[in-house]
Amino acid sequence: MLLFRHVWMPHKLSKMSGICRRLLSIAATNPPIGSRIAVGISGGVDSSVTAYLLKQQGYDVVGLFMKNWDSAEEVHGEGQCTAVADRQDAEQVCRQLKIPLHEVDFTKAYWNTVFQRFLDFYDNGLTPNPDLLCNREVKFKLFKEYAKQFGAEYLATGHYCRTRTSCREDGTTVTELLQGVDPSKDQSYFLAAVEGGSLQNVLFPVGHLLKKEVRLIAQEAGLYTAKKRDSYGICFVGKRDITSFLSQYIHVRPGYFMSLDGKWLGKHSAVQAYTTGQRARIGGVQSKYYVTTRDFKNNIVYVVPSREHHSLYFDTLCATDLFWPSGYMPLSLQNGEILTCEYKIRSTDALGKCTVQLLPPFDSTVHEEGGICTGHSHKVLDKYATTVQQRQRLRVTFGFDPAWCVAAGQALVLYKDGVCLGGGTICCVEPKHKHLCGSKGQK
């Protein structure tokens, strides 16, 4: 769904012909003027500008603030979540815009569908990304449904991404997820796992703008959040050490750091807290070391002296727990063909090139020629991939440009011509120099 035929701007903004022309030129199937639109107000500048632009368009805007975490329920009461301050900022903005603000409490749903899986991944040596899961299970499912209670026909958020309606080769009409215009802020990665059909009647007004333009609109409009800093990282962890946080919920397992040539370097306090490419701070050792892999059975974290070490580069990976935001797997994969496209392992990564092949669900009793999958990751992931289609796998090959720092549990997201196709959860990886890194299918 694309927005903006014409947008009222303050006097100074009207002189910014670049912004205005882009807003005017977007071909849109806009909601009828006067439609009620629920805006997810987070207390940040992006959602504030989202609500502002829609209000100026003449829509009936309702603000909704979503609470997903209650610091008071933490084991040691060391809450780091900024929800209280964010709620206050949201109230200020809605007061400025003269729109109502309602709060919905999804802490129980978030705990059951996002946080428990977050802990399960860490406890089994996987590297989770709770933001993708939150968007799929809470924000664009429960939250979108909740908005209907207020008569809202559409949901809008401040994500830097876009959508469009397209017709597939087989004639099926779908809503596709597109990258945001600002490459440094594109958030399509975080929405890649949203279930097919969930993006219908969803609006992303700032997805067509650069971040600096959003800031300028907020400043010219005098919005309370105009200069508020962006938030990063996992809300409920905050600035705390991940080991101390995890120790409140799971039994962390101490062990040792070891070089690939078998040299003991020091102790660590939790094997679960490390992931590939992470800086390993080893007591009494001044040299920099980085995590390459782990022996989860013996609580050993293997480290290397450089972020560019060859053991941190990977030729091939497999992903399962597949997701397709349009609701459909690319036809080339369905037809058994090789898909050539681009990928990201992290949201901030530049797009890399890859080839993708569809494989059947993992079966430990079946020998795969050249297979890299082991059973460990699948024992965890198959609990959450509930259909045969989700349990299918993608074998992704990177050719002459290997992927850097890949870990089981991370999200693989595929792109082609600016469209976010979907992807899956990485289950197994094969390092470029596997003879130097232990067995295949690292954890």
Side-chain angles (χ1 to χ4, degrees), residues 267-332:
K267 296 181 179 180
H268 64 73
S269 53
V271 68
Q272 298 101 317
Y274 293 91
T275 190
T276 306
Q278 179 180 344
R279 171 79 183 276
R281 301 187 183 278
I282 306 173
V285 177
Q286 293 184 347
S287 301
K288 293 182 179 180
Y289 282 94
Y290 302 89
V291 176
T292 181
T293 187
R294 292 172 293 175
D295 178 345
F296 218 66
K297 181 178 180 179
N298 296 302
N299 300 334
I300 298 173
V301 176
Y302 288 97
V303 295
V304 291
S306 169
R307 287 170 61 88
E308 301 303 318
H309 193 273
H310 41 65
S311 68
L312 297 177
Y313 287 87
F314 298 84
D315 281 333
T316 309
L317 65 78
C318 276
T320 186
D321 186 21
L322 305 185
F323 42 75
W324 311 104
S326 70
Y328 295 89
M329 180 186 296
L331 284 172
S332 57

Side-chain angles (χ1 to χ4, degrees), residues 72-177:
E73 295 184 2
E74 292 190 26
V75 176
H76 298 304
E78 300 174 355
Q80 299 285 319
C81 187
T82 60
V84 174
D86 291 338
R87 167 63 195 255
Q88 293 172 348
D89 292 342
E91 289 175 344
Q92 289 277 11
V93 168
C94 289
R95 200 173 295 122
Q96 281 184 295
L97 298 178
K98 298 180 180 180
I99 62 174
L101 178 67
H102 305 276
E103 179 178 325
V104 56
D105 190 337
F106 284 132
T107 53
K108 184 175 180 179
Y110 186 89
W111 183 282
N112 291 333
T113 62
V114 179
F115 187 62
Q116 290 285 14
R117 179 167 171 170
F118 170 87
L119 295 178
D120 194 19
F121 270 38
Y122 264 116
D123 205 23
N124 285 280
L126 307 182
T127 300
N129 191 321
D131 291 331
L132 274 81
L133 202 57
C134 177
N135 282 326
R136 181 173 74 189
E137 299 297 335
V138 182
K139 190 167 292 182
F140 293 96
K141 184 184 288 186
L142 300 178
F143 191 56
K144 185 183 177 186
E145 189 65 27
Y146 177 80
K148 295 178 182 179
Q149 296 184 22
F150 300 94
E153 304 165 67
Y154 299 87
L155 174 68
T157 72
H159 287 95
Y160 285 84
C161 56
R162 299 168 293 155
T163 59
R164 75 179 180 195
T165 301
S166 298
C167 186
R168 284 163 47 92
E169 295 175 22
D170 61 1
T172 307
T173 299
V174 298
T175 300
E176 292 183 319
L177 176 63

Side-chain angles (χ1 to χ4, degrees), residues 391-442:
R391 290 183 180 180
Q392 289 178 305
R393 291 170 295 156
L394 300 177
R395 182 183 175 93
V396 183
T397 304
F398 305 110
F400 295 106
D401 191 13
W404 178 75
C405 290
V406 183
Q410 290 176 310
L412 164 80
V413 177
L414 304 175
Y415 294 85
K416 194 172 182 68
D417 300 326
V419 178
C420 178
L421 302 176
T425 304
I426 297 169
C427 52
C428 305
V429 296
E430 183 170 71
K432 183 174 178 61
H433 299 277
K434 55 182 176 287
H435 64 284
L436 297 175
C437 306
S439 62
K440 293 188 291 184
Q442 301 177 78

Side-chain angles (χ1 to χ4, degrees), residues 69-71 73-76 111 115 118-119 123 236 240 244-252:
W69 188 259
D70 188 350
S71 297
E73 295 184 2
E74 292 190 26
V75 176
H76 298 304
W111 183 282
F115 187 62
F118 170 87
L119 295 178
D123 205 23
F236 50 79
R240 285 175 290 188
S244 63
F245 177 80
L246 289 175
S247 66
Q248 299 181 44
Y249 302 98
I250 63 176
H251 173 65
V252 295

Side-chain angles (χ1 to χ4, degrees), residues 179 183 189 343-352 404-405:
Q179 292 181 278
Y189 177 93
Y343 76 94
K344 282 188 179 186
I345 303 297
R346 287 161 292 273
S347 64
T348 55
D349 285 354
L351 290 172
W404 178 75
C405 290

Side-chain angles (χ1 to χ4, degrees), residues 3 41 45 58 88 132 217 235 265 295 302 364 409:
L3 272 185
I41 304 288
V45 66
Q88 293 172 348
L132 274 81
I217 291 172
C235 165
L265 298 172
D295 178 345
Y302 288 97
S364 60

